[in-house]
Amino acid sequence: MLLIKNANVDGKGVLSDILINDKGFYQEISTHIDETSILGCQVIDVKGMMAAPTFVNTHMHFDKCYTALKGRESSVETLEDSIKIMHNIKRNYTVEDVKERAIRGIKECVMFGTTKIRTNVDIDNMANLVGLEGVLAAKEATKDICDLQVVAFPQEGIFCNEGTEKLMYEAMEMGADIAGGMPAAEYLDEHARQHVDLVFSLAEKYGTLIDMHIDQSKDMFDRSLEYTAFLTMKNGLGGRVTGGHCTSITYQNQSHAIKVMEMLKKADVNICTNTQVLAIMGIDQEPRTRGVTRIREMVDMGINVCTAQDTICDGFHLYGTGDPLDYGLVGCYTAQYNTPGTAQIMWDMITKNSMRAFNPDEKYGIEVGNCADLNIIDANNVQEAFRTRASRPYVIKKGKIIASFQRTATLL
Ligand SMILES: [Zn+2]
């Protein structure tokens, strides 16, 4: 048993005691729980710190992480350049190398309080299934600290990358959890549509959720997002399909964009914008590409919007820590969320909205009966947590303390 005393649950300003049973579930949450009556109970007094469910990160690329530790090539500034650089890296993947880097990436995310992560793994005729084998090995090695979902991700396209269609089926057979897609990689619009069709049929065959990078471009004529919303409605898959990035919609004219967003709302498609892609989408003319979707409008329309890390130190992105308070803070700036109420919206995007995309069937949050995955955060409320990227002295998974992150700065 673990008893957490004086926790400010979800930063709402009310102190509670939280009792977690030996199976790792919340047993009791109330203003006072007397530890003397509970045999062998570990007690932590968190003295008013926030308690919040652990973060959920639904968009990673662990097969690629840390490949730029020695720096990126100085000429790499556009998304297109980054993709070319990654081709060379992928051709040289080994299972051991991918496994080692993925474990490091998972641990880095967990240390900051994330215990549920969805990672994409490239499936194409350069990486073949080597990246997948490495990431699946990393998933097994870290299963006690992290629930990892693996997306079979055809980064290079399916129909313009010979052999990928077959590899996608093999990836699902090998144990990929989610059918992924990248329709914008196809040469022809008709192939982009067939690409989306194939992903939906893979998901149906293997009974999985869908998570595609959709319209990740600056092309105002990309139309895969609306087609995905249409198929989601047609197949009754509300809540089970996630679109990643979805940047092209920011370039589309307002009346078309509103039509697509209304379809997304009706279809109940989750949207995951990855705010640090600000750095990725390239150096171009003013007004500069921001690489994020229409966060504010989508949120205001009631679409389930979440945000994630995406990449850590790879051919696309020199930075990235895996800390949701880092990419969440970037999100606050990007969406111009500058009030306590809108900071809460961004907080929801890195917690419960992400969880809804991760697993729409699983309960989440600090409530009796739920699994006790929670962080103790040294802040009074969510905007303070973002502002200071606060310490997390206890990261707790299924009732066990698994990590601690302390941010210290001392004036001497
Ligand atoms: Zn991505």
Side-chain angles (χ1 to χ4, degrees):
M1 304 280 256
L2 175 64
L3 178 61
I4 300 167
K5 304 280 290 178
N6 300 308
N8 174 5
V9 177
D10 294 323
K12 304 293 183 205
V14 179
L15 298 193
S16 300
D17 293 352
I18 302 169
L19 182 64
I20 299 167
N21 66 27
D22 288 335
K23 289 184 176 158
F25 291 84
Y26 297 113
Q27 180 155 312
E28 188 184 344
I29 301 166
S30 62
T31 47
H32 179 73
I33 300 172
D34 181 10
E35 66 265 34
T36 55
S37 61
I38 308 164
L39 219 58
C41 184
Q42 182 185 357
V43 182
I44 312 168
D45 187 346
V46 299
K47 298 180 178 149
M49 284 192 227
M50 262 182 79
T54 50
F55 302 112
V56 181
N57 175 349
T58 65
H59 193 121
M60 286 302 300
H61 292 268
F62 283 132
D63 53 334
K64 300 181 173 110
C65 63
Y66 307 115
T67 50
L69 273 185
K70 293 181 188 136
R72 294 164 85 225
E73 293 187 18
S74 58
S75 62
V76 178
E77 287 195 312
T78 68
L79 179 62
E80 294 73 20
D81 286 342
S82 297
I83 289 172
K84 280 186 204 142
I85 293 296
M86 282 311 304
H87 287 177
N88 284 334
I89 293 169
K90 280 198 283 193
R91 286 193 181 95
N92 293 309
Y93 274 175
T94 66
V95 173
E96 269 312 303
D97 151 58
V98 173
K99 178 186 172 187
E100 206 175 290
R101 286 186 291 98
I103 289 174
R104 179 175 174 184
I106 293 164
K107 286 183 175 172
E108 186 161 8
C109 292
V110 170
M111 283 188 292
F112 291 116
T114 301
T115 60
K116 292 178 189 298
I117 309 175
R118 177 179 293 174
T119 184
N120 293 270
V121 179
D122 284 20
I123 306 294
D124 54 55
N125 63 21
M126 286 167 264
N128 289 296
L129 299 167
V130 174
L132 180 63
E133 202 180 332
V135 170
L136 287 173
K139 175 180 176 175
E140 176 63 24
T142 56
K143 65 183 178 191
D144 293 338
I145 58 169
C146 181
D147 302 327
L148 189 73
Q149 294 175 340
V150 180
V151 184
F153 174 51
Q155 164 101 61
E156 313 297 335
I158 296 175
F159 301 109
C160 62
N161 189 263
E162 204 182 333
T164 296
E165 184 175 354
K166 185 167 168 276
L167 287 169
M168 285 293 285
Y169 283 92
E170 289 173 11
M172 301 308 288
E173 294 287 342
M174 264 176 75
D177 302 291
I178 291 182
M182 177 79 182
E186 301 294 350
Y187 292 138
L188 301 176
D189 290 349
E190 64 202 75
H191 288 165
R193 198 168 267 216
Q194 286 167 19
H195 183 124
V196 176
D197 285 335
L198 181 77
V199 174
F200 272 77
S201 69
L202 276 170
E204 189 181 7
K205 180 172 162 65
Y206 293 95
T208 70
L209 302 177
I210 292 170
D211 192 328
M212 287 185 283
H213 289 53
I214 307 180
D215 297 354
Q216 186 186 4
S217 77
K218 298 180 257 181
D219 182 347
M220 68 178 77
F221 298 109
D222 271 351
R223 293 290 183 265
S224 296
L225 188 56
E226 65 202 66
Y227 186 54
T228 299
F230 171 76
L231 287 185
T232 303
M233 279 190 266
K234 188 177 158 207
N235 294 298
L237 292 174
R240 314 191 85 77
V241 176
T242 299
H245 298 290
C246 308
T247 45
S248 148
I249 195 170
T250 60
Y251 296 90
Q252 293 166 10
N253 74 52
Q254 190 67 1
S255 64
H256 181 78
I258 287 172
K259 184 196 91 168
V260 177
M261 290 189 286
E262 281 172 350
M263 287 175 71
L264 291 168
K265 167 68 183 149
K266 195 169 172 193
D268 193 10
V269 171
N270 307 301
I271 299 296
C272 183
T273 186
N274 299 309
T275 54
Q276 290 186 352
V277 178
L278 275 169
I280 299 177
M281 283 297 278
I283 305 298
D284 53 10
Q285 77 278 16
E286 303 288 356
R288 288 178 187 276
T289 305
R290 299 191 313 152
V292 292
T293 196
R294 294 178 179 239
I295 298 172
R296 285 187 84 106
E297 287 166 278
M298 288 185 179
V299 167
D300 291 349
M301 287 176 76
I303 296 166
N304 187 51
V305 182
C306 51
T307 189
Q309 173 68 67
D310 195 20
T311 53
I312 296 176
C313 196
D314 64 12
F316 293 90
H317 183 197
L318 195 56
Y319 314 113
T321 58
D323 185 348
L325 297 187
D326 280 348
Y327 58 77
L329 182 63
V330 173
C332 292
Y333 281 98
T334 311
Q336 298 176 319
Y337 282 163
N338 195 30
T339 63
T342 51
Q344 182 65 51
I345 292 173
M346 187 54 60
W347 187 266
D348 291 347
M349 286 171 63
I350 58 175
T351 53
K352 66 181 185 183
N353 296 11
S354 290
M355 185 61 196
R356 194 162 177 272
F358 186 84
N359 186 347
D361 304 321
E362 189 176 328
K363 287 188 173 167
Y364 177 78
I366 301 178
E367 285 175 31
V368 171
N370 287 358
C371 186
D373 289 356
L374 76 158
N375 293 321
I376 302 300
I377 302 171
D378 189 6
N380 293 326
N381 50 45
V382 300
Q383 71 261 27
E384 272 302 286
F386 279 131
R387 188 182 74 77
T388 63
R389 271 93 74 233
S391 293
R392 278 139 270 181
Y394 302 101
V395 176
I396 297 167
K397 176 155 179 57
K398 225 177 172 190
K400 285 203 175 71
I401 299 164
I402 59 165
S404 178
F405 165 62
Q406 293 289 350
R407 185 183 295 283
T408 53
T410 308
L411 190 64
L412 300 174

